[in-house]
Amino acid sequence: MKVLGLIGSPRVDGNTTKLVNAILEGAAENGAEVRAYNLSKLDINPCEGCTNCRTEGKCVIDDDMQQLYEEVQAADAVVLGSPLYMWEITAQTKLFVDRLVALLNPDLSSRLKVPKKLVLAYTQGAPDPDAFKHYFAHLEGLFSFMNFDVKGSIVAAGTYTPEDILQQPEILAQAKEIGKNM
Ligand SMILES: Cc1cc2nc3c(=O)[nH]c(=O)nc-3n(C[C@H](O)[C@H](O)[C@H](O)COP(=O)(O)O)c2cc1C
């Protein structure tokens, strides 16, 4: 089983990386082959809205997203992590999400070759983990529509400094468990 981790925080050693890594660690302990990328380190350009992907079957922008399309297609499971920035996923994460439009056919059916499990992982400064639950449900809806098999969302709340999540061993343990069960 191949698990792909995608981290949308520009702080490469921050809380989101630690949260996603805990999930990947759990998956690896159960024999999965894991791989992770930080989206902010990749050259991912905004979707140009050319809609060529509808007819061509693939995105025409020549950047690192081409590799990620292959990685997503090759994976059995994806872990997408983002901090909350201004009540939403980061711009780096949104660039990736917008470009997933190339995985839709003209009739909006999915081009995903096999169903892929998906776990969404968030970190946020707000201490209440339910503060953005409607937004997280909205994103789960989007990925279900994209034909991902959404396994759920995990939220580490109250994280500000890059090390804050280390004070929440229960969340890291929960993340590891999610990875083991993938
Ligand atoms: C520009 C910016 C905007 C943020 N907006 C929010 C927000 O809307 N809600 C929230 O709870 N936390 C917000 N935060 C806090 C981060 O989500 C939080 O510190 C997160 O753990 C950062 O992840 P990282 O450690 O992986 O970089 C914001 C932080 C920054 C830098």
Side-chain angles (χ1 to χ4, degrees):
M1 169 156 174
K2 288 185 179 176
V3 182
L4 173 67
L6 298 170
I7 300 156
S9 172
R11 288 202 300 192
V12 292
D13 294 325
N15 298 288
T16 313
T17 299
K18 292 178 178 74
L19 184 62
V20 171
N21 281 348
I23 299 172
L24 297 180
E25 205 180 300
E29 274 182 23
N30 259 1
E33 183 188 320
V34 302
R35 186 176 293 191
Y37 293 90
N38 186 299
L39 297 173
S40 73
K41 295 289 171 201
L42 300 178
D43 175 31
I44 302 177
N45 290 283
C47 172
E48 293 171 2
C50 66
T51 67
N52 280 332
C53 57
R54 295 281 159 85
T55 45
E56 308 262 326
K58 62 184 179 65
C59 179
V60 296
I61 303 174
D62 183 17
D63 62 8
D64 289 339
M65 196 61 202
Q66 297 301 337
Q67 186 187 345
L68 289 191
Y69 289 128
E70 286 178 20
E71 294 276 7
V72 168
Q73 290 290 17
D76 300 292
V78 177
V79 181
L80 178 62
S82 177
L84 264 277
Y85 272 16
M86 307 306 280
W87 291 33
E88 296 181 52
I89 53 175
T90 60
Q92 291 87 344
T93 313
K94 184 69 162 75
L95 287 175
F96 167 78
V97 172
D98 279 1
R99 295 283 298 282
L100 292 181
V101 74
L103 296 181
L104 291 174
N105 288 306
D107 66 355
L108 302 183
S109 62
S110 175
R111 287 180 176 142
L112 284 176
K113 285 179 187 149
V114 290
K116 278 158 216 318
K117 295 174 187 172
L118 177 75
V119 171
L120 296 158
Y122 303 101
T123 64
Q124 61 181 52
D128 176 6
D130 289 335
F132 302 102
K133 68 177 181 185
H134 300 295
Y135 177 61
F136 299 152
H138 169 83
L139 287 175
E140 286 188 8
L142 166 70
F143 283 103
S144 297
F145 168 75
M146 299 281 301
N147 211 26
F148 284 88
D149 176 15
V150 180
K151 293 299 176 193
S153 303
I154 179 170
V155 187
T159 51
Y160 286 102
T161 78
E163 311 295 325
D164 277 349
I165 198 171
L166 300 179
Q167 306 307 316
Q168 300 185 37
E170 68 288 351
I171 285 287
L172 291 171
Q174 190 190 332
K176 203 167 169 182
E177 204 54 33
I178 287 171
K180 277 186 184 164
N181 292 329
M182 277 184 116

